Every structure is written in structure tokens, then in C-alpha cells.
Amino acid sequence: ALGPPSAPPARRARRARAQMAPAPPPRSVAQMFQARDAQELRAVLSAQVSESEALKAKLAEGQRECARLRQRLRDVEGQLSIATEASTTASAQIGAHAARQGLVLAAGIERSGAQRVAVEHELQSVEALLNERDREIRKLRQQAYDLEAVEHQQEMALKGMKVAHEAAISHARALSDEVAALADSVDGFRHHTADQGRATYALQQEMQHLTETEALLASKRSEYAALKQRSEAAVVQARKFDEEEGELAANVQAFERSLRAKRDQLCAQDQRTVQETEQLQEHCGRLLHALLLEQRDAMDAQLRPQAGAEVEGVKREAVALFKGIPRLAEILRSRGRRLISPEVQGDRTDAALHAFVRKCNPAAGDVLPPLLWRLSQGEYLFGTDRVVISESGGKLMLLREGLAAPLADVVRQAAAQAPPRSVDV
């Protein structure tokens, strides 16, 4: 204790009586100075006592403040552990979602490939059936043309036979009239008996020729009827084939419409896949940003070990994300698509890069990677590589693994080194 030593009770009583008694007059100057020094000492002692009390109060206040700081530190550690658990859970969920998304994408690609193979096989079978029907229709049409030509020839022959028959009939009638005239005058003209015999023989010859002509005409008519029946049957069959060809053409058109619908469905599925990939990347970016904010808060709270662990977790998550990039690039390359980050306003390099991408012509041999994504200022994902793209002298330069080259030359070299791709018709 810093207070004055305690005096005996008798002395305190005498001192109290002395204070209550009237002060005697000073005896001398020395006594006056002694009394004044005692008062000053008492004042100094009282000041020291009050100062010690104030220091004790300050010490107690400091101890309470230390307790509050310890409690706050424990609260911050609890919040940090909760944030760490949340980030770990989010990382696990992201990994599981990425794995599920990869499986869904792979299954969708396999299903699309199987559907495409089945559709192509069905289309080939339909084309073969169409070709066979076309050959049959051409053959039937040729047969119909041949039958029409034979029918026309038979009609011409029949007309000639009719004309010959009519001429024979007219000649026979003339001979009959001549024979009748000769029979009427047989009595008066006996000397013409030889001429009558020759006329009768000629009449018999003409009658025999007429009979043969009628038999030939009957056979030609029967042949004409058979040919006409065959021609009518061929015409009916050709009409039937025309109707079947119309139905087959309608079926082919319906099949083509279904193929277009399936192609549109596959394109929509591809677009949804790309959108889901972009959303997943955006979500991963937000999680990375949140983890960076938590890291900064942890560093502000002077918790560097925990912040280092969070940084390692973020790095591992970034490495895991970058490990999935080659699969994404392979999927985009197999689908013949490209994924390019949106243009950032105010970034001259990014604007020049987007202008270069718009000017690229695949027909001229320019081949861009399937993935071109902006990571930060001047840093991009060029396919599966992290590169630095800058603008120098009006040209875009690409820095990869310490080697710089013009971006146009890199694109042309990629076109020269790219394997030939099959084109599906």
C-alpha cells in the first residue's frame, strides 16, 4: 500500500485533541517551517494515494478491456471456423456439382451420338429404299413405253389389214357380180366356158385369201386385246407406284422435319450446356471472390495462419477448376463450338482481342482455340494454357511460357498443326 503508516490509537487521540485545541502561537520560525513541511508531506501523500487509486482503476479497466478483446478474438475465431467450414462445404458442393455436370454432359453427348448414328442409319435405309423404288418406277415406265409402242404397231398393222380386208371384200363382190353376169349369159355364150372356169378358180382363190385374212385379223385382235390388258395393268401398277412414291415422299418429308426438330433440340441442349457451364464458372468466380474477401478480413484481424490455410484451399479449388478446363475444351472442340468471355468495357486489350476474333476467317485458315476466357487484366485462358496478351505497335502479342509471338502467327500455326476434321453431310 502506498498510504501513510498507521499510528497508535493513543497518538491518534492526542493528535485529534491537539487539532481540536486552539493553536498556540508560533514560538519560532523553525517551528513554523516544520509545520509547513508536514502539511506539504501530507498533501504529497494524499496525491500519491489518489494517483495510486486512479492507477488501480485504470488497471482494472485495462483488464476488463483485455477480457473483452479475448472474447472478441474467440468470437472471430468461431466466425472464421464457421466460414472455413462453409467454404469447405461450398468447395465440396462445387466439386460434386462439377462431377455430376460432367457425367450429365458425357451422358448427353453419348446419347446424342447414339441418336445421330441411329438417325443416319435410318436415313441411309430410307435413301436405299427410295433408290430401289426409283429403279422399279423407271423399269415400269420403260415397260409401259414399250407396250405403247407395240400397241401402236399393232394398231397400224390392224388398220392395214382392215384396208386389205375391205379391198378383198370389194374385189370378191366384183367377182361375184361378174360370176352372176356370166351365169345369166351361160346359155347364150357357151363358147366362153373356159373364161368362166378361170373366173370361178379366181373367185375361189380370193375367197380362200379372204378367209386367211379374217383369221389373221382375228389373231391380231386377240393379241391387241392381250396387249391392251397388259398395258392397262402396267398403267394401274405405275399409278400404284406413283401413289406409293407420293406416300414415301411425304414420309421422307416428315422424317426430315423430325430430324430438324431433333437437331434443334440438340442445339438447344448444347446452348443449355454452355449456359450451365458459364453459370458454373460465374458461381465459381463468386465463390473465389467471397473466399478472397474472407481472406482479407482474416488478414485484417491478424489471423495469418488461418488466412494461409484459406489461401491454400482457394488455390486447391482453383487448381481443381483448372483441371476441369481440358475436358471442357475437349467437349467444345468435339462440338465445333467456342466459348469466349464477354468484352470488358474500358479494357483496350480486350476490345482489340474481340475485334481480332471477329476478323478471323476459318476459310482463310484461321483456327481459334475452343476456350478463350479473360481471367484478369491481360491474362487469358487460351485453350488450356494461361497466357498473357498485350498490345504492342498495333499488334496483339501472346506471351506463353516466357515466349512472345504475334497472335495472328499463333492462330495460323494452330491451323497448320490442326488435324483434318470430318464433315458430316
Side-chain angles (χ1 to χ4, degrees), residues 298-314:
M299 290 179 66
D300 293 338
Q302 295 182 357
L303 297 174
R304 296 185 180 276
Q306 293 83 351
E310 291 294 331
V311 169
E312 292 297 326
V314 171

Side-chain angles (χ1 to χ4, degrees), residues 192-253:
H192 294 293
T193 304
D195 294 335
Q196 184 181 3
R198 287 192 299 270
T200 303
Y201 179 74
L203 179 60
Q204 290 176 357
Q205 291 292 328
E206 290 295 334
M207 291 300 291
Q208 185 179 1
H209 183 67
L210 180 61
T211 304
E212 293 176 356
T213 303
E214 287 178 353
L216 182 60
L217 181 61
S219 64
K220 293 293 182 180
R221 283 179 179 175
S222 62
E223 290 179 1
Y224 175 73
L227 288 174
K228 188 174 181 180
Q229 186 177 3
R230 288 176 59 191
S231 177
E232 290 177 355
V235 169
V236 171
Q237 191 173 5
R239 289 177 181 174
K240 183 178 178 181
F241 276 114
D242 289 335
E243 292 177 357
E244 291 181 357
E245 183 181 5
E247 294 178 358
L248 188 59
N251 293 330
V252 169
Q253 290 179 358

Side-chain angles (χ1 to χ4, degrees), residues 7-174:
R11 187 179 296 176
R12 285 200 302 270
R14 285 196 301 268
R15 186 178 297 171
R17 285 196 299 270
Q19 289 177 358
M20 292 177 63
R27 298 177 184 178
S28 65
V29 177
Q31 291 179 353
M32 291 176 63
F33 280 112
Q34 289 178 357
R36 191 176 298 171
D37 293 338
Q39 292 178 358
E40 290 178 355
L41 287 174
R42 290 192 188 93
V44 169
L45 289 175
S46 62
Q48 289 180 355
V49 169
S50 61
E51 186 176 359
S52 66
E53 293 295 333
L55 289 174
K56 289 179 180 179
K58 287 182 180 180
L59 180 61
E61 184 67 25
Q63 290 177 352
R64 287 193 297 272
E65 184 68 23
C66 185
R68 284 197 300 272
L69 289 175
R70 287 194 181 96
Q71 183 65 32
R72 185 177 178 183
L73 181 61
R74 285 192 294 270
D75 295 339
V76 170
E77 288 178 352
Q79 292 177 0
L80 186 59
S81 63
I82 293 171
T84 304
E85 293 176 357
S87 62
T88 304
T89 305
S91 300
Q93 291 178 356
I94 289 171
H97 181 69
R100 288 195 300 270
Q101 193 68 21
L103 293 174
V104 169
L105 289 174
I109 290 170
E110 292 178 357
R111 186 171 59 254
S112 301
Q115 291 177 356
R116 183 174 181 179
V117 170
V119 167
E120 288 179 354
H121 180 69
E122 190 173 356
L123 184 60
Q124 289 176 359
S125 61
V126 170
E127 288 178 353
L129 183 61
L130 283 174
N131 292 328
E132 186 178 357
R133 289 297 177 88
D134 290 337
R135 287 194 297 271
E136 291 179 357
I137 290 170
R138 286 196 296 269
K139 186 177 179 180
L140 288 172
R141 285 178 178 173
Q142 185 65 33
Q143 290 179 359
Y145 292 153
D146 295 339
L147 290 173
E148 288 178 358
V150 172
E151 183 181 1
H152 182 68
Q153 292 177 0
Q154 294 293 334
E155 287 179 355
M156 294 300 293
L158 186 60
K159 287 180 180 179
M161 288 180 181
K162 284 182 180 179
V163 172
H165 180 64
E166 290 176 357
I169 290 173
S170 62
H171 185 60
R173 286 177 182 174

Side-chain angles (χ1 to χ4, degrees), residues 36 58 92 95 111 177 193 254 262 265 279 327 382 423:
R36 191 176 298 171
K58 287 182 180 180
R111 186 171 59 254
D177 294 338
T193 304
K262 288 181 180 179
Q265 184 179 2
Q279 291 176 1
R327 180 174 177 80
F382 191 82
V423 179

